[in-house]
Amino acid sequence: NAGVTQTPKFQVLKTGQSMTLQCAQDMNHEYMSWYRQDPGMGLRLIHYSVGAGITDQGEVPNGYNVSRSTTEDFPLRLLSAAPSQTSVYFCASSYSRDSLGGYTFGSGTRLTVV
Amino acid sequence: GQQLNQSPQSMFIQEGEDVSMNCTSSSIFNTWLWYKQDPGEGPVLLIALYKAGELTSNGRLTAQFGITRKDSFLNISASIPSDVGIYFCAGQLYGGSQGNLIFGKGTKLSVKP
């Protein structure tokens, strides 16, 4: 099925551990982005990419790294997890950043850092 | 940075009632979008608005793009239990470094049968 696929759906990490959240889309979208959702805070942009090889920071980039080696994949890396990174993470994509059709979201990764 | 003020934060209504929520910004936007998030899922686009003053319907949902380009509202008529969820407004300003979607904090809707 076409769409945005995120893995894993759930993850528990210990403080200081590293991990990669995976995001893949099969719609040939150039634009991909990562948001985190915290209670009462809405969705905040972490990093985004307007095409393969191009990434940029969003509103809350500290503690996260991204790369975009292919059009399809946009992984989010936590180098040294902290309890403040406990959140639900969403990946989104669209044909372009100024897409008139809005963004398509994945179903999320719920991360707990203990 | 730009911020969206979405209200109310939560609503608890009776099935069959109409619902109204709105979003305001200190900055203008080219596009206003309304999303719904079901529990355990990602947001899904409900309505997109591209022109100041535009009024658009999608079934029981109606949304408007404010004339000043700084606000938008969403109405849901005759609510049903499956309307439960979190509704997000999002604004977008094209071009430059500001083209990403900016989201409000959401309105949590609960419907009592």
Side-chain angles (χ1 to χ4, degrees):
Chain A
N1 293 331
V4 178
T5 303
Q6 290 184 238
T7 56
K9 285 193 71 69
F10 302 94
Q11 183 71 51
V12 178
L13 288 179
K14 293 183 179 179
T15 297
Q17 285 185 320
S18 63
M19 80 159 294
T20 299
L21 281 62
Q22 302 291 344
C23 176
Q25 52 87 14
D26 57 2
M27 298 173 283
N28 203 31
H29 284 173
E30 290 293 327
Y31 177 85
M32 297 185 75
S33 56
W34 279 100
Y35 287 84
R36 61 177 289 174
Q37 182 179 23
D38 302 294
M41 297 296 291
L43 291 154
R44 293 182 292 170
L45 182 66
I46 305 171
H47 284 285
Y48 66 96
S49 169
V50 297
I54 306 169
T55 63
D56 206 346
Q57 297 180 350
E59 179 187 357
V60 288
N62 292 341
Y64 308 95
N65 278 356
V66 292
S67 60
R68 184 95 179 270
S69 56
T70 68
T71 299
E72 294 78 20
D73 301 295
F74 190 44
L76 178 71
R77 280 181 286 276
L78 283 71
L79 300 179
S80 179
S84 61
Q85 293 178 305
T86 293
S87 186
V88 182
Y89 292 85
F90 288 100
C91 179
S93 73
S94 69
Y95 286 108
S96 70
R97 185 169 67 174
D98 297 347
S99 175
L100 298 183
Y103 298 172
T104 300
F105 283 83
S107 58
T109 294
R110 184 174 295 274
L111 176 67
T112 302
V113 183
V114 297
Chain B
Q2 295 170 310
Q3 291 188 348
L4 296 184
N5 297 312
Q6 186 172 350
S7 63
Q9 286 186 319
S10 62
M11 303 181 73
F12 191 85
I13 62 170
Q14 199 79 26
E15 182 178 357
E17 289 183 354
D18 296 343
V19 173
S20 184
M21 58 190 79
N22 67 81
C23 215
T24 61
S25 170
S26 58
S27 305
I28 62 172
F29 287 111
N30 296 119
T31 300
W32 281 96
L33 305 167
W34 285 92
Y35 284 83
K36 182 193 177 195
Q37 183 182 30
D38 291 325
E41 297 295 329
V44 174
L45 183 65
L46 297 174
I47 292 179
L49 302 158
Y50 305 115
K51 187 177 178 181
E54 180 181 357
L55 184 71
T56 298
S57 294
N58 178 6
R60 294 178 296 105
L61 278 60
T62 302
Q64 184 159 29
F65 191 143
I67 291 291
T68 65
R69 295 171 62 193
K70 294 183 178 181
D71 62 334
S72 178
F73 72 75
L74 174 71
N75 287 341
I76 306 173
S77 63
S79 58
I80 60 178
S82 62
D83 290 334
V84 165
I86 302 176
Y87 292 79
F88 291 101
C89 63
Q92 190 171 36
L93 184 63
Y94 302 152
S97 62
Q98 304 180 68
N100 300 295
L101 275 184
I102 298 171
F103 284 83
K105 295 182 178 180
T107 295
K108 185 175 182 179
L109 179 64
S110 302
V111 179
K112 184 178 180 181

